[in-house]
């Protein structure tokens, strides 16, 4: 289930779900008895639906927890044995998910259902990330493919020659800090050697999951993925377009300025001034976050923004110290401290002696108190922010632990991703001074630099956050063949991000597979939504905290009023439609990017000045 996969677990369990499809006809017999009862009495009654939902919640919770625990072991200790064992556990869980989904679909038309039963039936039907077709052989095949795909990613590395291999983390370091185009190109292309073997497997997995989705009554898997937003799935793409339309001018201004500066640095031969930016020059393996090239593109005239990475290192922070600092922020809002077991059981540092999956994740093992994160923390600003992101998941999980099983998740997937990021927006100079990380609060002349840095994280991300699922939805809808996957990927990268591959891609390339969320089947629109929502949350919480200055200078640190309002939303999980949750928190029931635009207004003005006389666009 989703909750299992919460951001973190979602990642994990989706991979396994994909890997282990049990055939409904091979599944346990609980529902057979019920079906027989229905046969005797004619169509199922509302009371039967209520009983069915209760049974499903209990069973899925039980199997989900077993799966969660096993998956934790797998991701912390990747071997053939743990892969096999985890696949078995996931299979049982997936078998139940699919069985309950089929049954829920069959109860769709029951009349006289109460609100919660109707809502939960919908979640039961649509909530399986990679549904299985009802055929034993295909289920086994799909299980095998899922395991292979996540294995190819998790154990991937780039080897210059035998014995000289670089793991993803090391390649990402090069992408972040090297300014040598040759070296950047090698790291960029090198990492993409892991994914060509995924292509055919991925295509087959899509085919199988689409069959599963069709059996549940959806046109294809994409429609099923779009069904979790309390609206007609057919309207969801237009909702995303609307939000993207709000922020696109700001993105285009940022792109224009960054391209010009990169052109000055690398030469306009390397960075053509009328086309997309080569993807290896933006400081990140996927060109999704540009903060690492702040030194090349930031405003020169203003005082330099402080360097939080340097400060954390100078002050002797280690991974635990960073997590403790993030926890203290939540405590200052009135949230209870993390349990002792969090500290005992989490993974904070990359182990030297075994394969682990380093992509950051947050876990809720027992749906009560057994919260954990798994992350290979480096002492730098990016990871400091990501720790807040992960703890946001954990505090959300704990806040809704009194809700029933199917409501133990975010109001929508974007909400879950937005909580920790909302707190990160409050990591302001004043806050850093208050906790002793800065000696004094820099004056407002440094704000432009800070806003630029933030824009390189938040604004630069937006089109990437959108395009990943635009690609997947077309793939799921069968609009392209496997041979066309990579071309479609780069077509969308260009269309949305204005970014291009640094050179012709080889015939077998499967570049989407080099991004974690594709081989592990984690939906990505969640992050796009989270980037919009977190500014809405921040603005409202700042008002509640009594902030009167510009919103980019506001920190909600130590405001129990803001914490109380946040908690009121978190503890409801998804028991009510997300627009209600949003309205209770912000006073508006619409997702809306004006909070984000207001936050960046001073930067937009500066960018427009910089871009005067430049030809923008690609
Ligand atoms: O995957 C994540 C989180 C875990 S839910 C670290 N993020 C996306 C990514 O890394 O691609 C956060 C930002 C976008
Ligand atoms: Zn997350």
């Amino acid at each position: 289930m989703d909750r299992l996969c919460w951001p973190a677990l979602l990642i994990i369990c989706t991979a396994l779900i994909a890997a282990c499809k049990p055939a409904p006809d091979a599944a346990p017999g609980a529902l057979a008895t019920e079906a027989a009862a229905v046969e005797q009495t004619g169509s199922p009654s509302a009371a039967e639906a209520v009983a069915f939902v209760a049974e499903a919640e209990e069973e899925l919770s039980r199997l989900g927890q077993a799966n969660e625990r096993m998956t934790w072991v797998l991701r912390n200790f990747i071997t053939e044995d743990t892969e096999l064992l985890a696949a078995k556990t996931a299979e049982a869980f997936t078998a139940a998910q699919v069985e309950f989904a089929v049954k829920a679909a069959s109860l769709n038309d029951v009349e006289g259902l109460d609100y919660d039963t109707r809502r939960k039936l919908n979640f039961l039907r649509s909530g399986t990330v990679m549904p299985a077709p009802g055929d034993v052989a295909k289920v086994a095949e799909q299980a095998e493919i899922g395991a292979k795909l996540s294995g190819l990613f998790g154990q991937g590395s780039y080897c210059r020659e035998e014995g000289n291999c670089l793991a993803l983390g090391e390649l990402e370091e090069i992408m972040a800090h090297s300014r040598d185009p040759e070296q950047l190109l090698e790291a960029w292309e090198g990492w993409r050697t892991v994914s060509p073997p995924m292509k055919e497997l991925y295509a087959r997995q899509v085919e199988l999951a689409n069959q599963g989705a069709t059996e549940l009554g959806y046109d294809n898997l994409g429609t099923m993925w779009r069904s979790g937003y309390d609206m007609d799935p057919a309207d969801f793409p237009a909702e995303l377009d609307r939000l993207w339309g709000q922020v696109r001018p700001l993105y285009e201004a940022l792109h224009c300025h960054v391209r010009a500066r990169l052109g000055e640095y690398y030469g306009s031969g390397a960075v053509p001034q009328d086309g997309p930016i080569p993807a290896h020059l933006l400081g990140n393996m996927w060109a999704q976050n540009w903060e690492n090239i702040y030194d090349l593109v930031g405003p020169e005239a203003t005082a330099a923004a402080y360097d939080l990475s340097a400060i954390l290192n100078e002050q002797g922070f280690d991974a635990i110290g960073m997590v403790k600092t993030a926890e203290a922020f939540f405590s200052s809002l009135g949230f209870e401290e993390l349990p002792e077991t969090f500290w005992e059981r989490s993974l904070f540092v990359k182990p030297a002696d075994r394969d682990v999956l380093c992509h950051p994740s947050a876990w809720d093992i027992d749906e009560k108190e057994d919260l954990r994160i798994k992350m290979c923390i480096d002492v730098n600003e990016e990871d400091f922010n990501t720790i807040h992101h992960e703890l946001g998941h954990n505090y959300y999980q704990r806040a809704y632990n009194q809700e029933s099983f199917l409501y133990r998740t975010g109001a929508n997937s974007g909400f879950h991703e937005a909580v920790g990021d909302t707190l990160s927006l409050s990591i302001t100079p004043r806050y850093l001074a208050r906790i002793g990380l800065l000696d004094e609060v820099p004056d407002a002349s440094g704000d432009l630099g800070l806003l630029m840095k933030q824009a390189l994280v938040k604004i630069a991300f937006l089109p990437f956050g959108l395009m990943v699922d635009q690609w997947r939805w077309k793939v799921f809808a069968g609009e392209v063949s496997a041979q066309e996957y990579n071309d479609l990927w780069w077509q969308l990268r260009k269309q949305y991000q204005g970014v291009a591959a640094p050179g012709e891609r080889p015939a077998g390339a499967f570049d989407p597979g080099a991004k974690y969320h594709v081989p592990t089947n984690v939906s990505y629109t969640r992050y796009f939504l989270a980037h919009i929502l977190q500014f809405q949350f921040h603005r409202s919480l700042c008002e509640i905290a009594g902030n009167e200055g510009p919103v980019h200078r506001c920190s909600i640190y130590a405001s129990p009023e803001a914490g109380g309002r946040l908690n009121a939303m978190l503890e409801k999980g998804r028991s009510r439609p997300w627009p209600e949750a949003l309205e209770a928190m912000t006073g508006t029931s619409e997702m809306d990017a004006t909070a984000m635009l207001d936050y960046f207004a001073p930067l937009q003005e500066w960018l427009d000045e910089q871009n005067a006389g430049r030809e923008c666009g690609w």
Side-chain angles (χ1 to χ4, degrees):
M1 290 308 305
D2 264 4
R3 59 146 255 302
L4 217 216
C5 307
W6 266 142
L9 303 188
L10 217 192
I11 287 162
I12 287 152
C13 87
T14 41
L16 293 177
I17 284 168
C20 328
K21 272 356 172 130
D25 58 2
L31 295 178
T33 344
E34 225 177 285
V38 170
E39 243 165 58
Q40 278 175 6
T41 57
S43 46
S45 68
E48 280 163 325
V50 171
F52 161 72
V53 166
E55 180 200 338
E57 290 201 284
E58 196 184 318
E59 186 68 356
L60 289 174
S61 172
R62 191 178 66 77
L63 292 168
Q65 285 180 39
N67 187 44
E68 193 98 325
R69 227 174 262 287
M70 187 60 237
T71 309
W72 172 266
V73 175
L74 168 70
R75 296 304 187 203
N76 280 279
F77 194 87
I78 308 174
T79 68
E80 285 195 353
D81 298 326
T82 54
E83 265 180 24
L84 258 167
L85 292 166
K88 287 269 171 240
T89 324
E91 186 169 336
F93 179 47
T94 309
Q97 278 192 305
V98 171
E99 186 184 7
F100 290 126
V102 170
K103 172 76 179 178
S106 78
L107 295 173
N108 226 10
D109 298 328
V110 174
E111 281 173 20
L113 290 180
D114 64 278
Y115 174 86
D116 290 308
T117 304
R118 165 88 43 225
R119 187 165 176 77
K120 288 178 178 181
L121 284 174
N122 281 336
F123 291 147
L124 281 170
R125 175 169 168 244
S126 65
T128 309
V129 181
M130 295 302 275
D135 171 298
V136 181
K138 285 181 180 169
V139 169
E141 185 187 356
Q142 201 188 39
E144 212 175 285
I145 294 173
K148 277 190 195 146
L149 280 176
S150 63
L152 284 167
F153 187 94
Q155 296 176 326
S157 68
Y158 162 58
C159 302
R160 283 196 182 109
E161 65 245 2
E162 218 182 295
N164 179 10
C165 299
L166 295 173
L168 176 57
E170 292 160 316
L171 294 166
E172 285 189 79
E173 272 295 299
I174 297 173
M175 296 306 300
H177 301 298
S178 172
R179 299 290 178 254
D180 171 355
E182 292 295 313
Q183 208 183 15
L184 288 167
L185 183 63
E186 188 193 1
W188 189 94
E189 289 182 340
W191 175 242
R192 283 160 180 79
T193 59
V194 303
S195 49
M198 296 177 191
K199 180 148 72 175
E200 291 307 321
L201 293 166
Y202 187 79
R204 178 65 179 152
Q205 188 192 40
V206 167
E207 193 180 347
L208 295 170
N210 262 336
Q211 282 177 27
T214 323
E215 285 171 20
L216 290 170
Y218 297 94
D219 323 342
N220 65 61
L221 184 58
T223 316
M224 192 165 161
W225 279 26
R226 291 187 292 276
S227 299
Y229 292 93
D230 292 309
M231 63 167 81
D232 184 335
D235 296 336
F236 188 55
E239 178 67 354
L240 295 179
D241 282 350
R242 179 181 69 78
L243 295 168
W244 173 229
Q246 286 186 289
V247 291
R248 197 172 48 204
L250 179 52
Y251 177 74
E252 284 173 359
L254 182 68
H255 180 281
C256 190
H257 172 70
V258 165
R259 183 177 65 189
R261 284 288 184 82
L262 289 177
E264 284 161 26
Y265 187 81
Y266 289 109
S268 55
V271 187
Q273 291 299 298
D274 56 358
I277 303 173
H280 64 314
L281 303 179
L282 287 157
N284 174 275
M285 184 57 87
W286 304 276
Q288 69 181 68
N289 171 339
W290 304 348
E291 70 180 306
N292 291 313
I293 56 162
Y294 177 81
D295 58 323
L296 300 182
V297 303
E300 287 145 347
T302 62
Y306 56 85
D307 181 346
L308 186 53
S309 298
I311 295 170
L312 290 167
N313 280 291
E314 280 157 19
Q315 295 211 6
F317 270 81
D318 60 8
I320 303 260
M322 288 161 72
V323 182
K324 289 265 179 206
T325 305
E327 182 198 34
F329 197 134
F330 281 89
S331 299
S332 84
L333 299 177
F335 289 91
E336 210 184 305
E337 282 180 0
L338 291 165
E340 206 41 51
T341 51
F342 171 88
W343 302 101
E344 290 160 10
R345 298 173 189 172
S346 288
L347 179 88
F348 299 116
V349 180
K350 185 176 181 181
D353 60 346
R354 62 182 204 265
D355 281 339
V356 303
L357 215 158
C358 276
H359 191 87
S361 54
W363 300 65
D364 173 18
I365 301 283
D366 65 353
E367 300 166 27
K368 289 192 192 73
E369 275 286 313
D370 192 348
L371 307 165
R372 310 177 190 176
I373 64 168
K374 183 172 64 57
M375 185 175 166
C376 303
I377 298 174
D378 289 321
V379 180
N380 61 43
E381 179 169 11
E382 189 174 345
D383 280 8
F384 189 55
N385 285 324
T386 303
I387 290 165
H388 289 76
H389 176 96
E390 297 309 332
L391 290 194
H393 290 309
N394 281 153
Y395 282 97
Y396 208 159
Q397 289 159 340
R398 187 166 61 181
Y400 56 57
N401 70 9
Q402 300 302 314
E403 282 292 343
S404 54
F405 174 81
L406 286 164
Y407 289 161
R408 282 182 218 139
T409 189
N412 73 34
S413 60
F415 281 60
H416 224 296
E417 298 300 336
V419 175
D421 284 12
T422 300
L423 268 68
S424 287
L425 292 178
S426 281
I427 303 179
T428 57
R430 191 177 301 281
Y431 163 68
L432 291 173
R434 189 160 170 184
I435 64 164
L437 286 180
L438 277 182
D439 291 336
E440 54 190 46
V441 183
D443 65 37
S445 69
D447 282 14
L448 204 54
L450 293 173
L451 282 171
M452 182 65 165
K453 200 152 194 195
Q454 196 73 284
L456 293 171
V457 180
K458 305 293 182 185
I459 303 295
F461 178 80
L462 290 164
F464 184 73
L466 203 52
M467 67 73 55
V468 174
D469 282 351
Q470 299 293 324
W471 178 82
R472 265 194 292 219
W473 293 349
K474 286 183 190 297
V475 167
F476 294 164
E479 289 178 30
V480 284
S481 68
Q483 287 67 40
E484 296 161 327
Y485 280 174
N486 217 50
D487 289 346
L488 175 64
W489 177 259
W490 285 107
Q491 185 192 313
L492 293 167
R493 292 272 263 169
K494 182 175 175 195
Q495 180 187 329
Y496 284 96
Q497 288 184 281
V499 157
E504 195 67 13
R505 299 300 295 136
F510 180 52
D511 297 328
K515 177 65 194 164
Y516 176 80
H517 304 69
V518 173
T520 58
N521 296 307
V522 181
S523 74
Y524 212 79
T525 304
R526 64 185 59 214
Y527 303 111
F528 174 78
L529 297 177
H531 276 62
I532 306 283
L533 284 167
Q534 62 191 257
F535 287 90
Q536 289 186 263
F537 295 168
H538 179 65
R539 175 158 74 182
S540 297
L541 294 177
C542 283
E543 271 170 32
I544 293 163
N547 174 64
E548 282 171 358
V551 78
H552 66 266
R553 297 196 131 227
C554 158
S555 178
I556 61 166
Y557 179 73
S559 168
E561 295 80 13
R565 177 72 73 93
L566 179 61
N567 188 54
M569 181 179 84
L570 301 189
E571 65 187 12
K572 288 205 170 69
R574 70 168 165 182
S575 58
R576 303 294 305 171
W578 65 260
E580 273 183 36
L582 188 57
E583 183 151 24
M585 171 97 154
T586 67
T588 165
S589 60
E590 291 224 318
M591 293 189 276
D592 174 36
T594 53
M596 188 176 206
L597 296 176
D598 289 351
Y599 182 100
F600 286 108
L603 181 75
Q604 170 92 55
E605 201 177 305
W606 182 82
L607 286 170
D608 289 344
E609 280 163 30
Q610 301 300 306
N611 290 333
R614 287 174 180 157
E615 281 290 326
C616 296
W618 52 86

